[in-house]
Amino acid sequence: MSAETSTWTTKKGLAQMLKGGVIMDVVTAEHAKIAEDAGAVAVMALERVPADIRAAGGVARMSDPEMIQGIMDAVSIPVMAKARIGHFVEAQILEALGVDYIDESEVLTPADETNHIDKHAFKVPFVCGCRNLGEALRRINEGAAMIRTKGEAGTGNIVEAVRQLRAVLAEIRRLESMREDELFVAAKDLQAPYELVKEVAVEGKLPVVNFVAGGISTPADAALVMQLGAEGVFVGSGIFKSEDPARMATAIVQATTHFDDPKILADVSHGLGSPMRGIALEQIPDAERLAVRGW
Amino acid sequence: MKIGVLALQGDFAEHVAMLRSIGVEPVEVRLPEHLEGIGGLCLPGGESTAQRRLIDRWGLRQPLLDFAATGAPLFGTCAGMIVMATDIAGGEEPVLPLLDVTVRRNAFGRQLESFEADLTVPILGDQPLHGVFIRAPIVERVGSGVDVLATLDDGRIVAVRERNIIATAFHPELAREPRFHRLVATMAAEHQEPAEGSARRRHPTRREGLRR
């Protein structure tokens, strides 16, 4: 018997274990403990939550390895960390640290305006953002073992996440309804490999787990995207920019499990204090939108 | 035949699909009342820390222990094994102390140490079984009533059974491996409707005969 590590099944499989769960952005080991205690299935270690990255401006990069290591030591759940789009050396560093998943993320300032990281070249699995099905399939083709719609990070506004999730799922339904000889052109239009397009048309779902990110700030937001068909959620600024992070975190975890039970949703939404303030999308100049990063 | 799948968090959809593929009607269990009418229960992989909190929040702990006490089969994979262990190395409180073993979480290390390997599981026949291990636990100690069903080449224990409780450190549901689920379905059927030869009930025809 020979054991084989870092196979496609194990890469994709860890994301399958996170389904129905909440992955929370944390900036300190204390945050990470709060997240784990609330029932997070994983944490995303980063220096600043997206709302602060947005406010600070400048170039956002991979976090300090010392800070990531501190979080890895503090919790027993999987730890993810972000690398800039196309910055394969940041990814090499994160792999050397031993993080459980790398997020090639539009929340950081892109390092390459044409190419994403060749994720097949890594032993550690990657999650990547998308706005539509074509983008999702291009990322999977590059080796992403998990997909998340991007939403618009750091806004506390769910509207982009809903738009993108609906877009992905509608495009999947459209492929399902097509004749086989129409899939070639569908692949051309989606700018995605034919083999993946065909697989989606046959299976009626993405070949990897699909979470939603960017803008979730209440239990109702989480339940909304779960009812629409998300397999789990990322919550960034929504927890640690709220009035009572521990309570908000717990409530969002409960709402993600019981997304289809309005009585429980009402129960967990009680007395949470104020969620993060949030920004209307119209107030964000095009140049400051994060979701458009990624090619 | 209905078999439940604890659907709080994790790869419960994969267990549901596996049960459906072997002709069993799956039931997603999120609240105590969902245990009604099922003949067995699968506890999926996932994050045991998250599952623990979800079990406690809506009062599932006692109903799950009561369900196990009826003798119906429970089958846990990975996190499901941790959730049912009487002892968790490192001192975490047990969740549902049903299986007299000590498990160690993330025993192989982090995700980079996740692996696939073929295993021999004698009770499932000669055909080797493909094991998918993801941040997997290991069984470090087994109680006297626990049967070891499979080990790695180095002897570490990765599958066990104690009476009606079965647990694996790996994920048959990710490997298109239906034999454990078939075994659970058979045990559930036997539990609900004991067949000829069962020690728990006399054979119906013989019982008829005795009455006359």
Side-chain angles (χ1 to χ4, degrees):
Chain A
M1 168 187 77
S2 64
E4 217 187 325
T5 56
S6 295
T7 62
W8 179 240
T9 301
T10 62
K11 287 177 168 181
K12 209 170 73 150
L14 179 55
Q16 286 171 282
M17 297 311 136
L18 305 178
K19 285 196 296 181
V22 184
I23 300 168
M24 302 183 192
D25 279 0
V26 296
V27 299
T28 62
E30 293 71 53
H31 278 185
K33 284 303 289 175
I34 291 171
E36 184 175 47
D37 288 344
V41 290
V43 290
M44 177 75 70
L46 74 177
E47 233 141 58
R48 284 172 288 182
V49 295
D52 291 337
I53 291 176
R54 198 176 271 291
V59 174
R61 310 180 179 90
M62 175 188 82
S63 298
D64 184 341
E66 186 172 311
M67 169 266 177
I68 297 170
Q69 190 67 54
I71 287 172
M72 289 166 63
D73 294 342
V75 294
S76 65
I77 55 179
V79 175
M80 301 183 168
K82 288 182 193 289
R84 282 179 267 177
I85 289 174
H87 206 315
F88 52 85
V89 173
E90 284 187 349
Q92 289 165 3
I93 292 169
L94 292 174
E95 180 174 81
L97 276 176
V99 300
D100 296 291
Y101 241 92
I102 294 176
D103 184 5
E104 186 183 16
S105 177
E106 72 284 356
V107 169
L108 305 183
T109 310
D112 190 321
E113 291 181 324
T114 313
N115 305 291
H116 282 251
I117 298 170
D118 171 10
K119 294 165 274 287
H120 290 295
F122 287 79
K123 290 172 78 68
V124 62
F126 281 74
V127 54
C128 285
C130 76
R131 275 171 302 165
N132 52 51
L133 182 59
E135 204 175 353
L137 296 180
R138 288 194 292 280
R139 297 295 86 80
I140 295 167
N141 192 44
E142 295 156 2
M146 178 179 188
I147 287 293
R148 55 174 177 77
T149 48
K150 296 174 192 172
E152 185 60 34
T155 61
N157 189 335
I158 194 71
V159 67
E160 272 300 309
V162 168
R163 190 204 319 270
Q164 294 164 12
L165 178 62
R166 280 194 185 272
V168 170
L169 298 176
E171 286 168 315
I172 291 174
R173 285 193 299 271
R174 201 171 68 88
L175 289 185
E176 277 185 289
S177 70
M178 282 185 177
R179 281 167 54 99
E180 238 180 82
D181 58 5
E182 294 166 345
L183 294 175
F184 299 101
V185 171
K188 187 192 80 179
D189 291 344
L190 287 167
Q191 298 176 46
Y194 168 75
E195 288 69 29
L196 285 173
V197 169
K198 177 141 192 235
E199 187 178 343
V200 170
V202 171
E203 301 292 330
K205 64 193 287 293
L206 286 178
V208 301
V209 167
N210 181 27
F211 272 44
V212 163
I216 293 169
S217 47
T218 64
D221 288 348
L224 173 64
V225 296
M226 291 299 289
Q227 286 197 26
L228 283 172
E231 294 184 290
V233 298
F234 283 85
V235 185
S237 321
I239 288 169
F240 290 99
K241 287 283 163 194
S242 71
E243 190 181 332
D244 186 345
R247 211 148 162 206
M248 184 62 85
T250 306
I252 292 178
V253 167
Q254 299 298 335
T256 303
T257 290
H258 298 284
F259 65 89
D260 229 355
D261 189 329
K263 274 198 188 129
I264 288 184
L265 295 175
D267 186 331
V268 303
S269 300
H270 269 285
L272 294 177
S274 11
M276 71 179 283
R277 182 153 183 288
I279 315 173
L281 266 288
E282 299 73 38
Q283 292 169 2
I284 305 173
D286 284 353
E288 289 175 24
R289 298 214 176 187
L290 304 178
V292 296
R293 296 169 169 177
W295 356 102
Chain B
M1 163 68 61
K2 289 184 189 174
I3 291 185
V5 179
L6 193 61
L8 298 171
Q9 189 278 316
D11 71 336
F12 54 85
E14 285 77 357
H15 280 272
V16 163
M18 180 63 79
L19 290 171
R20 204 166 273 140
S21 78
I22 60 168
V24 168
E25 187 183 337
V27 176
E28 292 188 3
V29 174
R30 290 190 175 82
L31 294 170
E33 56 263 36
H34 302 155
L35 291 165
E36 202 69 36
I38 58 174
L41 183 70
C42 295
L43 291 87
E47 282 305 316
S48 62
T49 53
Q51 293 182 1
R52 167 198 298 277
R53 283 175 180 78
L54 291 156
I55 285 171
D56 280 343
R57 177 64 177 81
W58 304 101
L60 269 162
R61 192 181 285 237
Q62 196 55 46
L64 285 169
L65 292 172
D66 293 344
F67 180 76
T70 66
L74 281 79
F75 172 42
T77 61
C78 195
M81 172 188 258
I82 298 164
V83 164
M84 293 195 293
T86 53
D87 295 283
I88 302 172
E92 275 177 64
E93 284 296 303
V95 187
L96 304 170
L98 292 166
L99 181 62
D100 185 12
V101 297
T102 303
V103 295
R104 180 171 295 279
R105 293 179 58 206
N106 304 335
F108 299 89
R110 307 191 73 95
Q111 170 63 10
L112 287 168
E113 265 60 62
S114 292
F115 65 100
E116 298 180 57
D118 283 340
L119 301 167
T120 309
V121 187
I123 62 156
L124 298 179
D126 294 336
Q127 202 63 243
L129 177 147
H130 192 63
V132 179
F133 295 79
I134 296 176
R135 286 173 48 99
I138 204 91
V139 177
E140 290 190 335
R141 174 198 65 85
V142 293
S144 58
V146 178
D147 297 325
V148 173
L149 303 184
T151 61
L152 294 173
D153 280 354
D154 60 14
R156 285 188 283 180
I157 299 166
V158 292
V160 290
R161 172 178 177 170
E162 184 178 23
R163 292 151 56 93
N164 55 326
I165 313 291
I166 298 176
T168 61
F170 49 90
H171 297 280
E173 76 280 8
L174 295 190
R176 296 171 198 270
E177 167 52 68
R179 282 175 285 177
F180 273 103
H181 291 81
R182 283 208 194 104
L183 173 63
V184 172
T186 307
M187 288 165 67
E190 164 69 9
H191 171 69
Q192 284 192 327
E193 200 69 50
E196 185 167 10
S198 167
R200 272 178 282 139
R201 193 168 92 184
R202 281 166 298 178
H203 189 258
T205 54
R206 196 177 304 157
R207 188 175 54 198
E208 283 300 304
L210 286 173
R211 269 190 203 149
R212 280 177 204 140

